[in-house]
């Protein structure tokens, strides 16, 4: 499906070539939204200087605009052209062109969105919880946003490698394993054990480590055994990993994200690659000893006093750290997985860390022009008081509890409204679960990923406004039209014809879907798709209020409007699925 902006770009470029010669064939027509038309070309102002130099006299941008319009082939694309202001070219698309493009989208299961002609291998690293710790509110955004990015890129035809870089290695596991032995491993190995006590388990181990010298000594020795790959220690470590995986999968299942056990490549996966990575950096002269530690000093990073900032690759005690692990990960992804792009969906406070790690990787030659690494920075989740979301006691909010509260509030909202259908308890609970989870996910995805946002359960569960329930209800309302009319949305083929301004606005908005999805994937910004779906739902609401469907004035209009409904339904459900937002069949 041609994007209207791209279609007009091509047409105006042809006019530029015809008006000013082949040297202007590649000029950007600067197509932008317009208050007075569908779109406008702002290129005339940028041509004043080159045309003045070429013609030897000062050029007027409005006259330039008129020269472009004189050569513009409106054809089957452009209905009206008008020059306004200092040289803006206002462009109004033909109604039949808009209808024809909407018709093409309706006939294609992919909504006429082509797969990329240059598919890439792209790794998306997201979620990344810690073994033996419960997921908290800090994991909410990285999990939801990362999964949406992975879904969008997959839809566009890229080969997506989902990487759940869990924290499953390091010194804390000495105390965790020893505590496991103290309480009895059968408690952790039992599926019915209280997985929700993972945080309490970790805290108890830490308290013993800090207060019991004998326990702390055992824990340190256990770390040595773990690092030496002692079989019994590895078996106990695996018990903790397995318990944590069961817990992670419970949360992922409720959130509806696509991560599986096969997507886990924890810190332990890269453990054997740390020493070779460090050795290569030494061999290349990138890593040097500074104050007893092995460091790299990427250019351009300095402290307050102007001193070079180091990336510590090996600590003075010989131990490795996050930087070592991240560098080994980049090296593995380039040398073994042969990826073209890496997207790290990680909190914004890690921005400097990733900038410096990427810089070192470029120094080593692991990141070049053919491999792109980017940090999709995730902003904080705030409470209604504008501060970092915490429990009343000041602790970290558990993700499972947060989701439970959202579903409960969604249930209260749901029960307070009138329903056309009677739902049994099981159906009601299924709907409410989707509404509550959808509310949380849309609230998260509807804001720029690097922005902070307020987690307000009362606002996000509303059935009106820019919320998940509003979008879910829009799909349900469309389905109800087909049910009432005894029609099948998959058989609503039109043809689409435009006779009302609300029909035109809806059809035109449908044509933006492909370009929005492409932008969302290219920029790793799913909020663009989330905002578009809300705008589409608004356009449909206006259409619904002004254009009777089942009571249309004639059969031809009815079939056209049913086709517009079907195209909108498919676009909304496809878009919500790309965001990972569930859609109830009824509400």
């Amino acid at each position: 499906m041609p994007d209207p902006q791209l279609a007009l770009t091509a047409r105006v470029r042809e006019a530029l070539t015809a008006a000013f010669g082949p040297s202007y064939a590649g000029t950007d027509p600067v197509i932008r939204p317009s208050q007075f038309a569908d779109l406008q070309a702002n290129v005339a102002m940028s041509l004043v200087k080159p045309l003045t130099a070429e013609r030897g006299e000062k050029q007027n941008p409005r006259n330039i605009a008129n020269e472009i319009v004189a050569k513009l082939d409106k054809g089957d694309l452009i209905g009206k052209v008008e020059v306004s202001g200092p040289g803006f070219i206002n462009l109004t698309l033909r109604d039949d062109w808009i209808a024809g493009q909407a018709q093409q989208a309706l006939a294609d299961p992919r909504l006429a969105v082509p797969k990329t002609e240059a598919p890439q291998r792209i790794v998306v690293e997201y979620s990344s919880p810690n073994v033996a710790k419960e997921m908290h509110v800090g994991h909410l955004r990285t999990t939801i946003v990362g999964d949406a990015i992975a879904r969008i890129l997959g839809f566009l035809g890229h080969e997506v490698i989902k990487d759940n870089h869990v924290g499953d290695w390091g010194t804390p596991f000495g105390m965790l394993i020893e505590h496991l032995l103290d309480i009895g491993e059968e408690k952790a190995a039992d599926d019915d054990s209280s997985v929700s006590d993972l945080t309490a388990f970790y805290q108890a181990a830490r308290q013993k480590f800090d207060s019991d010298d004998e326990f702390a000594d055992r824990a340190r020795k256990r770390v040595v055994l773990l690092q030496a790959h002692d079989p019994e220690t590895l078996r106990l470590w695996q018990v903790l990993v397995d318990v944590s995986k069961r817990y992670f999968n419970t949360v992922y299942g409720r959130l509806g994200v696509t991560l599986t056990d096969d997507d886990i490549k924890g810190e332990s996966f890269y453990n054997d690659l740390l020493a070779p990575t460090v050795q290569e950096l030494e061999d290349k002269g990138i890593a040097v000893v500074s104050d007893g530690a092995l460091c790299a000093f990427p250019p351009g990073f300095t402290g307050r006093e102007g001193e070079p900032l180091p990336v510590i690759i090996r600590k003075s005690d010989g131990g490795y750290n996050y930087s070592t692990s991240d560098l080994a990960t980049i090296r593995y992804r380039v040398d073994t997985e042969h990826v073209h792009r890496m997207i790290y969906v990680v909190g914004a406070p890690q921005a400097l860390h990733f900038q410096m790690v990427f810089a070192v990787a470029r120094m080593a030659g692991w990141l070049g022009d053919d491999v792109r690494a980017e940090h999709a920075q995730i902003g904080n989740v705030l409470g209604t008081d504008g501060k970092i979301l915490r429990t009343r006691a000041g602790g970290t909010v558990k993700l499972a509890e947060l989701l439970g509260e959202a579903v409960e509030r969604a249930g209260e909202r749901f029960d307070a409204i009138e329903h056309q259908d009677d739902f049994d308890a099981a159906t009601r609970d299924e709907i409410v679960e989707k509404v509550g989870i959808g509310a949380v996910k849309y609230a998260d995805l509807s804001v720029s990923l690097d922005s902070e946002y307020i987690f307000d359960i009362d606002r996000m569960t509303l059935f009106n406004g820019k919320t998940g329930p509003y979008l879910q209800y829009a799909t349900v309302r469309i389905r109800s039209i087909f049910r009432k009319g005894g029609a099948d949305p998959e058989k609503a083929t039109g043809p689409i014809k435009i006779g009302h301004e609300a029909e035109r606005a809806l059809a035109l908005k449908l044509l933006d879907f492909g370009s929005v999805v492409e932008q969302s994937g290219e920029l790793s910004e799913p909020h663009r798709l989330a905002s578009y779906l809300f705008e589409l739902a608004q356009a449909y609401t206006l259409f619904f209020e002004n254009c009777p469907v089942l009571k249309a004035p004639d059969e031809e209009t009815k079939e056209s409007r049913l086709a517009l409904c079907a195209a909108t339904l498919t676009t909304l459900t496809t878009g919500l699925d790309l965001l990972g937002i569930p859609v109830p069949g009824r509400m």
Side-chain angles (χ1 to χ4, degrees), residues 425-442:
T427 302
R428 177 262 182 200
D429 291 346
E430 180 183 351
I431 294 172
V432 165
E433 179 75 13
K434 290 180 178 179
V435 172
I437 297 301
V440 171
K441 297 183 82 168
Y442 187 80

Side-chain angles (χ1 to χ4, degrees), residues 345-426:
V345 188
V346 182
Q350 297 296 314
L352 180 60
H353 165 78
F354 279 111
Q355 290 170 17
M356 296 183 72
V357 165
F358 293 162
V360 173
R362 282 191 287 271
M363 293 169 67
W366 302 327
L367 292 180
D369 294 338
D370 57 338
V371 182
R372 172 177 162 193
E374 60 195 83
H375 176 200
Q377 300 183 33
I378 301 297
N380 291 321
V381 180
L382 308 179
T384 52
D385 59 0
K387 300 178 181 178
I388 298 294
L389 187 62
R390 297 192 181 280
T391 64
R392 291 181 180 177
T396 302
V397 178
K398 296 178 181 180
L399 183 51
E401 293 179 357
L402 202 68
L403 297 178
E405 289 178 17
V407 171
E408 182 179 353
R409 187 70 183 101
E412 293 171 0
R413 296 274 193 200
F414 183 80
D415 293 340
I417 61 177
E418 288 187 22
H419 303 285
Q420 294 180 350
D421 301 319
D422 292 327
F423 302 111
D424 58 38

Side-chain angles (χ1 to χ4, degrees), residues 100-232:
Q101 299 308 308
Q103 187 76 48
Q104 288 184 29
L106 175 63
D108 187 340
R110 288 182 53 83
L111 295 165
V113 180
K115 290 190 175 183
T116 178
E117 296 179 356
Q120 296 182 326
R121 286 173 63 84
I122 303 175
V123 61
V124 183
E125 179 181 311
Y126 63 105
S127 193
S128 306
N130 292 311
V131 164
K133 284 187 177 180
E134 286 186 73
M135 295 174 70
H136 53 76
V137 66
H139 295 108
L140 175 66
R141 301 202 71 193
T142 59
T143 303
I144 291 173
V145 173
D147 200 58
I149 292 172
R151 287 169 180 259
I152 290 169
L153 291 171
F155 178 78
L156 290 171
H158 297 291
E159 180 184 355
V160 178
I161 302 170
K162 292 173 288 186
D163 192 337
N164 194 357
H165 196 84
V166 302
D168 64 353
W169 200 255
T171 54
F173 283 89
M175 69 179 190
L176 293 171
I177 291 172
E178 287 303 316
H179 182 54
L180 174 66
L181 289 171
D182 286 352
I183 66 171
E185 64 176 279
E186 66 281 352
K187 290 186 178 180
D190 185 358
D191 278 337
D192 295 327
S193 65
S194 181
V195 177
S196 63
D197 282 344
L198 275 177
T199 297
F201 177 88
Y202 185 93
Q203 291 173 343
R206 169 57 67 180
Q207 183 178 15
K208 287 166 67 176
F209 184 85
D210 292 338
S211 61
D212 186 334
D213 291 341
E214 186 273 334
F215 178 85
D217 184 58
R218 280 195 287 134
R220 294 189 185 97
K221 291 178 180 178
R222 184 63 69 175
V223 171
V224 175
L225 290 171
L226 179 64
Q227 293 174 340
H229 289 183
D230 169 64
E232 177 61 12

Side-chain angles (χ1 to χ4, degrees), residues 5 9 12 16 27-33 40-44 46:
Q5 186 164 328
T9 295
V12 175
L16 288 169
T27 302
D28 182 3
V30 197
I31 305 295
R32 298 290 185 268
Q40 66 186 35
N42 300 339
V43 66
S46 67

